[in-house]
């Protein structure tokens, strides 16, 4: 696989050097499976480092120089089809800062709590049994959202733990949460001298060809990422898994929308229970079902344990 990839990328590089544009469909970089193939593998850590430095606005001696990518080894067909599956990109710096990056295309109305849940799990997992609290690793959760989340205009928001009355007194920097809202970014004036603007434009599947070419000329790391995306777009196995993941995400969003509509129509407790059983049968996670139906999480878990 690695050999085929290198050959494919070299062919694409030659084509670009000769001024040829490879005629392949550009897959959606914001598809979480493709995003992971672009940033979540050891071979692509240069792109991940560049993206993280852009998001964290790190430059010069403060920038991330190296990183260990924690690869997801579960990218088989069953996992891709799993409507509860969560494909994220994880990495750790040499000084022990943990990163978790997730793409969310649809608003399930649970993003802040979801982020805290997964960031907390990652933070807690960084200490081993019998370890000291000092061993807990700083955890940075980054969410790339294809929907509006907050009412303010800023497209990139960052959250820490601050004291309510003492201005800018931070309790700890052990956990840091980032939210990047694409619809807000899409409506603002772009600055190609800003590395984050360049990466967010690259990730837009609707980016005009001339803008993409400009990004490639400006940024050698984006050039490499685009060459990899072109190869992925022409690889049969990647296309199969990509289409499966697209279908899974569409079906999941449809189930959630259907559940919300039925939940509004059926106010009775028994009606909600029936909806919950149907959603369990379709593979949705108990926490999400509890949020959508208003039923207690323990009751949903009991239903799941008893087979609905």
């Amino acid at each position: 696989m690695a050999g085929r990839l290198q050959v494919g990328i070299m062919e694409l590089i030659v084509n670009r050097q000769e001024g040829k544009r490879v005629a392949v469909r550009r897959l959606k970089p914001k598809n979480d499976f493709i995003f992971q193939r672009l940033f979540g593998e050891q071979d692509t850590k240069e792109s991940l480092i560049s993206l993280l430095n852009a998001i964290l606005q790190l430059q010069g001696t403060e920038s991330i120089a190296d990183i260990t990518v924690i690869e997801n080894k579960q990218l088989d067909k069953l996992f891709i089809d799993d409507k509860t599956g969560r494909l994220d990109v994880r990495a750790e710096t040499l000084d022990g800062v943990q990163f978790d990056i997730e793409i969310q295309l649809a608003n399930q109305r649970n993003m802040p709590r979801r982020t805290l849940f997964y960031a907390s799990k990652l933070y807690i997992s960084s200490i081993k049994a019998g370890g000291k609290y000092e061993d807990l690793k700083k955890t940075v959760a980054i969410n790339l959202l294809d929907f509006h989340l907050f009412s303010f205009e800023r497209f990139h928001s960052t959250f820490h733990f601050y004291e309510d009355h003492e201005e800018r007194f931070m309790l700890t920097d052990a956990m840091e949460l980032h939210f990047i809202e694409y619809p807000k970014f899409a409506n603002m004036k772009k600055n190609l001298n800003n590395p984050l603007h360049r990466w967010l434009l690259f990730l837009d599947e609707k980016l005009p060809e001339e803008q993409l070419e400009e990004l490639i000329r400006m940024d050698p790391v984006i050039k490499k990422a685009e060459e990899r995306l072109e190869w992925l777009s022409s690889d049969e196995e990647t296309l199969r898994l990509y289409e499966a993941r697209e279908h899974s995400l569409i079906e999941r969003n449809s189930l959630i929308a259907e559940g919300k509509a039925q939940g509004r129509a059926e106010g009775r407790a028994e009606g909600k229970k029936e909806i919950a059983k149907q959603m369990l049968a379709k593979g949705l996670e108990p926490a999400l079902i509890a949020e959508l139906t208003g039923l207690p999480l323990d009751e949903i878990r009991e239903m799941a344990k008893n087979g609905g």
Side-chain angles (χ1 to χ4, degrees), residues 127-128 130-136:
I127 188 172
K128 296 177 181 175
K132 305 182 297 293
Y133 290 121
E134 290 81 2
D135 297 333
L136 288 163

Side-chain angles (χ1 to χ4, degrees), residues 18-201:
E18 295 178 354
K20 300 175 184 177
R21 179 65 181 165
V22 181
V24 294
R25 177 178 58 141
R26 190 174 191 262
L27 301 182
K28 299 176 182 177
K30 284 184 284 187
N31 171 288
D32 53 4
F33 167 63
I34 295 299
F35 184 84
Q36 191 169 85
R37 295 298 308 275
L38 289 172
F39 298 97
E41 300 177 2
Q42 277 298 123
D43 290 343
T44 66
K45 71 175 183 178
E46 184 181 10
S47 295
L48 180 58
I49 289 170
S50 178
L51 177 62
L52 288 174
N53 282 329
I55 291 173
L56 302 175
Q57 301 179 40
L58 300 177
Q59 297 179 351
T61 57
E62 293 185 352
S63 61
I64 299 171
D66 199 4
I67 204 164
T68 300
V69 180
I70 302 169
E71 297 188 40
N72 188 338
K73 301 297 185 183
Q74 297 180 291
L75 293 180
D76 56 27
K77 183 65 165 61
L78 291 176
F79 189 75
I80 290 290
D81 281 343
D82 183 2
K83 288 178 282 296
T84 68
R86 177 175 181 265
L87 301 184
D88 55 352
V89 170
R90 292 187 182 181
E92 186 173 318
T93 60
L94 298 179
D95 57 352
V97 179
Q98 301 181 115
F99 291 95
D100 182 86
I101 310 177
E102 183 179 4
I103 293 271
Q104 277 292 311
L105 301 180
N107 188 1
Q108 313 302 346
R109 312 295 176 186
N110 61 359
M111 203 64 227
R113 290 177 182 271
R114 175 188 175 91
T115 300
L116 282 170
F117 176 76
Y118 284 112
S120 299
K121 282 185 67 176
L122 187 58
Y123 181 63
I124 293 170
S125 68
S126 68
I127 188 172
K128 296 177 181 175
K132 305 182 297 293
Y133 290 121
E134 290 81 2
D135 297 333
L136 288 163
K137 298 175 181 178
K138 178 176 179 177
T139 300
V140 180
I142 299 169
N143 300 278
L144 301 175
L145 311 177
D146 217 16
F147 54 86
H148 285 93
L149 181 62
F150 304 116
S151 59
F152 47 78
E153 293 183 5
R154 180 187 298 274
F155 80 90
H156 178 195
S157 49
T158 310
F159 294 84
H160 295 85
F161 291 99
Y162 287 99
E163 208 283 330
D164 285 345
H165 309 287
E166 296 294 330
E167 185 177 0
R168 305 301 294 173
F169 182 86
M170 187 187 295
L171 175 65
T172 176
D173 69 345
M175 192 174 293
E176 185 175 311
L177 310 179
H178 291 253
F179 298 89
I180 294 175
E181 300 169 71
Y182 252 94
K184 294 178 181 177
F185 174 72
N187 292 328
M188 65 177 289
K189 185 177 180 180
K190 312 302 188 293
N191 176 11
L192 295 187
N193 292 318
N194 184 320
L196 179 55
H197 286 209
R198 293 200 297 268
W199 275 115
L200 294 181
L201 285 168

Side-chain angles (χ1 to χ4, degrees), residues 269-282:
E270 287 304 315
K272 290 183 178 181
K273 289 180 181 179
E274 187 59 34
I275 292 168
K277 290 179 182 179
Q278 294 174 16
M279 296 175 89
L280 282 170
K282 293 290 186 178

